[in-house]
Amino acid sequence: QHGRVKVKSTAQQEEEKRKEREKKLKLYITARDACFSKRKEGVLDDDALQLTQQLLSSNPDFATLWNYRREILMHMETVKNEDEMQKVYEAELSFLESCLKMNPKSYGSWHHRCWVSTRLPRPDWARELSLCDRCLSLDDRNFHCWDYRRMVVKMSGVPVDQELAFTDRLIGSNFSNYSSWHYRSTLLPLLHPESPDPPSPSGEPPRVFMTLVRNAFFTDPNDQSAWFYYRWLLGRAEREEIISCVFVSREEERVAVAFSRPVNTVGLLLVLDGQLQRVEWRSVHPRFKHSPVWICDLPPGTISDIVNEHNLTVHWTEKHTHRDCALYTGRCESWCRDSATDQELFRSELSVEKTSVLQSELDSCNQLQELEPLNKWCLLTVILLMRALDPLGYEKETLAHFQTLKEVDPMRSAYYSDLCSKFMIENTILKMEYAEVRVFSIADKNLTTLCHLDQLLLVTHISLSSNQLEQLPPQFAMLQCLEVLEADNNKIEKLEGVYQLPKLEEVLLRNNSILAYLQPLASCPKLKHLDLRGNPVTQTDNIEAELAELLPSVTHLLL
């Protein structure tokens, strides 16, 4: 036993650590309480500043102490001259660097550094940029540092092209630097606020902007950072905000207005035959405070006489725009709208000004797909490019790619199904528009969701049979002209969207999953034919009597 080093047991070591922690905690609590007492007494001196520094050095995320520290520093500004405060704030910046070494993602430390930098009499922005460079070299996704850098760049007037070069360096060392890709997306619009496909600052061709990101995903096709930026770079165009359709009905004495985006009714005015009408605008469903479709009822007798002609104008004062609609003699209804085109409605996600650029990018992605046939990011981007170029012409290829996506990325199969449904609905709307009909048929297409229903304001007959739909959502109430609804052989449980459809006469819902809650149907005054065969609700006791009471207008009920 002699000559051997005595080793403490694990229990003894843990006990000593516990006592040490307790000792430190007592000291910390004592200092904290002393600090709170000083603040309560209004003490704003150097001792209080030193006390907060002692506490924040061990715990830089104590927001109350940072607030107290700022109060002390602001008091010092009233008793010290500029040169003295310059030294005080420079010392504060040095102290903050030690806090950031302890916790590089401390909210309190970065916020306080931002505050100090903006109050420094003679700030050294080059020093702050250097600090950001060092922090981002250690962790290129430190969003606190990125936020601080944006402030420093703004305050110091760093040229945008210089910051772009900075992102080039970071991306060059790590293609997976998503923060740098995102930062580029905030810088490019500053250089080119008008053009969705701009030239580079040096006057180089537009495709130079694509080269960097294309190199990134050819180098590592499975990294999502470059793909997200690539989609942003391709899709800077936005659809114009307009009144897309005005519909007027003599029988209902109702006006419906569709917009290119959801809006509220502030600044919406209706002029009939030169006279401003006092009408109450309402959304098509109570759940919508903002809606792309709004309706109003005219005073009884205003337009009901079929021998009279009327001229309506809807003014949208928020956007200083309007749309006229004429209701001619002998006409029961009338409308005025923009024709739905793929570029205006459904290709705003990707820029369409440079078709040649998009075609070139599609060719590049197809080359990558040949090398990486099961890469989900490449497949999805190919789909988006095809839709931007020719959604109907590429429909077959798009469906095949969606099937591959579901196989290679089964965890997101539902997302791909919904996205595919969206594209199929868009294509059906385009086909319907080209044929100039008011019938919308999209049966047996494996739809899982409904969208773009604001584009179906004028549809009188819709067929959704044999799909995978689970509900008719509230947006379905935008179909204000609908007369016949066919939705047999789905999985529909809810009918919330079948709400106050003034012209709806026939509803076919065979073989769905409707268990209860048929009240929305009662809000459709003209409903005469209802087929609910093959639904669980038909097994409810006394269902026929209940429906007869709930739906007195129905003369042909099938259960």
Side-chain angles (χ1 to χ4, degrees):
Q1 299 293 331
H2 295 287
R4 294 187 180 182
V5 178
K6 185 177 181 180
V7 179
K8 296 180 181 180
S9 66
T10 302
Q12 289 175 318
Q13 293 176 12
E14 289 297 324
E15 180 63 19
E16 288 182 2
K17 290 180 181 179
R18 185 187 65 80
K19 290 181 179 179
E20 183 65 23
R21 286 195 298 267
E22 285 186 356
K23 181 180 178 181
K24 290 181 178 180
L25 181 59
K26 287 179 180 179
L27 292 173
Y28 182 85
I29 291 175
T30 300
R32 180 203 65 186
D33 292 343
C35 199
F36 283 177
S37 296
K38 284 180 175 289
R39 191 186 192 195
K40 188 175 182 180
E41 295 168 4
V43 177
L44 301 170
D45 57 13
D46 288 334
D47 288 341
L49 194 69
Q50 186 61 36
L51 190 57
T52 59
Q53 181 169 330
Q54 175 187 338
L55 290 164
L56 289 167
S57 294
S58 58
N59 178 18
D61 288 311
F62 204 145
T64 302
L65 296 182
W66 287 117
N67 291 336
Y68 184 26
R69 196 169 180 83
R70 284 189 281 274
E71 292 170 6
I72 299 170
L73 292 170
M74 285 190 291
H75 171 71
M76 287 183 173
E77 289 180 357
T78 64
V79 298
K80 295 179 181 289
N81 61 37
E82 184 177 295
D83 290 338
E84 290 174 326
M85 286 309 301
Q86 177 75 19
K87 293 180 180 178
V88 169
Y89 279 132
E90 285 178 350
E92 192 74 0
L93 291 176
S94 297
F95 164 57
L96 281 164
E97 285 191 34
S98 66
C99 292
L100 290 174
K101 288 178 181 178
M102 175 178 292
N103 181 5
K105 294 185 178 180
S106 166
Y107 284 87
S109 299
W110 283 108
H111 176 70
H112 190 66
R113 191 174 191 90
C114 184
W115 182 85
V116 169
S117 295
T118 56
R119 300 184 78 89
L120 198 64
R122 295 182 295 277
D124 185 354
W125 296 118
R127 178 176 183 270
E128 298 307 298
L129 279 176
S130 177
L131 172 71
C132 293
D133 290 345
R134 295 199 306 272
C135 290
L136 293 176
S137 67
L138 297 172
D139 181 2
D140 54 25
R141 295 198 179 190
N142 186 336
F143 66 90
H144 302 277
C145 185
W146 280 108
D147 288 341
Y148 183 69
R149 184 185 183 91
R150 279 189 281 270
M151 185 278 295
V152 172
V153 167
K154 181 179 179 180
M155 296 296 293
S156 59
V158 176
V160 177
D161 54 351
Q162 183 177 320
E163 282 299 278
L164 273 176
F166 169 73
T167 64
D168 286 344
R169 293 197 301 273
L170 265 63
I171 291 170
S173 61
N174 178 14
F175 277 138
S176 187
N177 191 333
Y178 182 77
S179 298
S180 293
W181 289 116
H182 173 71
Y183 191 29
R184 287 181 68 85
S185 73
T186 66
L187 295 172
L188 284 178
L190 298 178
L191 278 176
H192 313 280
E194 302 299 329
S195 174
D197 188 25
S200 69
S202 60
E204 296 171 327
R207 296 185 186 185
V208 170
F209 278 102
M210 305 291 185
T211 302
L212 178 64
V213 65
R214 194 187 301 126
N215 289 342
F217 59 65
F218 265 89
T219 302
D220 186 359
N222 293 310
D223 185 84
Q224 62 185 1
S225 302
W227 288 108
F228 281 133
Y229 175 75
Y230 185 61
R231 284 185 43 189
W232 173 86
L233 193 61
L234 289 169
R236 289 176 59 193
E238 293 183 1
R239 191 184 172 203
E240 183 183 2
E241 295 178 341
I242 59 171
I243 301 173
S244 56
C245 181
V246 173
F247 170 81
V248 56
S249 170
R250 283 191 194 272
E251 186 176 2
E252 284 80 30
E253 294 190 282
R254 176 175 294 180
V255 177
V257 184
F259 298 83
S260 56
R261 66 168 175 83
V263 302
N264 57 32
T265 57
V266 176
L268 196 59
L269 304 175
L270 175 64
V271 175
L272 175 64
D273 297 330
Q275 298 294 318
L276 180 64
Q277 302 294 306
R278 292 186 176 182
V279 295
E280 183 178 343
W281 293 99
R282 64 183 186 276
S283 63
V284 293
H285 196 280
R287 284 183 55 180
F288 299 144
K289 303 302 179 185
H290 285 72
S291 172
V293 176
W294 289 83
I295 55 179
C296 72
D297 294 322
L298 294 167
T302 305
I303 59 173
S304 58
D305 192 340
I306 201 168
V307 301
N308 292 328
E309 179 178 318
H310 300 280
N311 293 295
L312 296 92
T313 303
V314 176
H315 293 269
W316 189 13
T317 59
E318 179 186 344
K319 296 298 176 181
H320 306 288
T321 187
H322 69 277
R323 185 170 287 277
D324 301 320
C325 184
L327 181 58
Y328 297 111
T329 300
R331 293 281 299 275
C332 294
E333 59 185 21
S334 183
W335 60 86
C336 179
R337 61 165 179 164
D338 286 341
S339 296
T341 65
D342 53 350
Q343 291 191 11
E344 292 172 351
L345 289 179
F346 307 132
R347 292 206 280 177
S348 61
E349 292 181 2
L350 298 183
S351 306
V352 296
E353 284 76 3
K354 294 283 187 179
T355 302
S356 60
V357 172
L358 294 181
Q359 184 61 57
S360 174
E361 296 309 309
L362 177 59
D363 293 341
S364 295
C365 288
N366 281 332
Q367 292 175 16
L368 179 59
Q369 192 203 353
E370 291 179 5
L371 300 173
E372 301 280 345
L374 302 182
N375 183 278
K376 65 178 182 180
W377 300 109
C378 185
L379 284 167
L380 188 55
T381 305
V382 166
I383 289 173
L384 295 174
L385 286 166
M386 285 180 171
R387 293 203 58 74
L389 287 164
D390 187 357
L392 295 177
Y394 284 115
E395 182 176 298
K396 184 176 180 180
E397 291 91 335
T398 297
L399 292 175
H401 286 328
F402 269 120
Q403 185 58 41
T404 304
L405 277 171
K406 294 177 187 179
E407 294 171 0
V408 301
D409 190 17
M411 286 184 63
R412 294 165 185 82
S413 179
Y415 165 73
Y416 298 132
S417 294
D418 286 351
L419 189 60
C420 184
S421 298
K422 173 178 179 286
F423 291 161
M424 291 303 298
I425 289 173
E426 290 176 358
N427 284 5
T428 305
I429 290 174
L430 292 176
K431 294 172 185 177
M432 180 186 71
E433 292 289 336
Y434 294 146
E436 296 185 352
V437 297
R438 298 175 68 184
V439 176
F440 185 82
S441 179
I442 190 167
D444 198 18
K445 297 294 185 180
N446 289 316
L447 295 188
T448 57
T449 188
L450 294 174
C451 60
H452 297 307
L453 295 174
D454 56 296
Q455 299 295 327
L456 306 182
L457 172 62
L458 302 177
V459 164
T460 60
H461 188 137
I462 188 169
S463 176
L464 304 170
S465 299
S466 301
N467 284 298
Q468 303 295 317
L469 299 173
E470 296 182 357
Q471 64 172 331
L472 297 178
Q475 291 84 350
F476 199 82
M478 296 177 191
L479 280 69
Q480 287 289 298
C481 296
L482 189 65
E483 298 174 5
V484 178
L485 164 62
E486 297 180 21
D488 298 331
N489 303 310
N490 278 279
K491 302 176 181 179
I492 296 173
E493 299 178 2
K494 299 179 180 179
L495 302 174
E496 190 176 1
V498 186
Y499 176 80
Q500 290 190 356
L501 296 177
K503 298 178 180 292
L504 186 62
E505 297 182 3
E506 184 175 352
V507 175
L508 307 178
L509 291 167
R510 287 177 296 181
N511 303 321
N512 277 284
S513 303
I514 302 170
L515 185 61
Y517 193 64
L518 296 170
Q519 283 84 353
L521 294 171
S523 66
C524 302
K526 290 189 175 181
L527 184 61
K528 294 181 175 61
H529 183 108
L530 177 61
D531 190 343
L532 291 172
R533 288 176 292 179
N535 283 278
V537 70
T538 60
Q539 306 302 316
T540 306
D541 294 339
N542 301 320
I543 183 61
E544 190 168 356
E546 291 179 10
L547 287 176
E549 183 178 355
L550 179 66
L551 307 171
S553 64
V554 174
T555 58
H556 192 186
L557 177 64
L558 297 175
L559 298 174

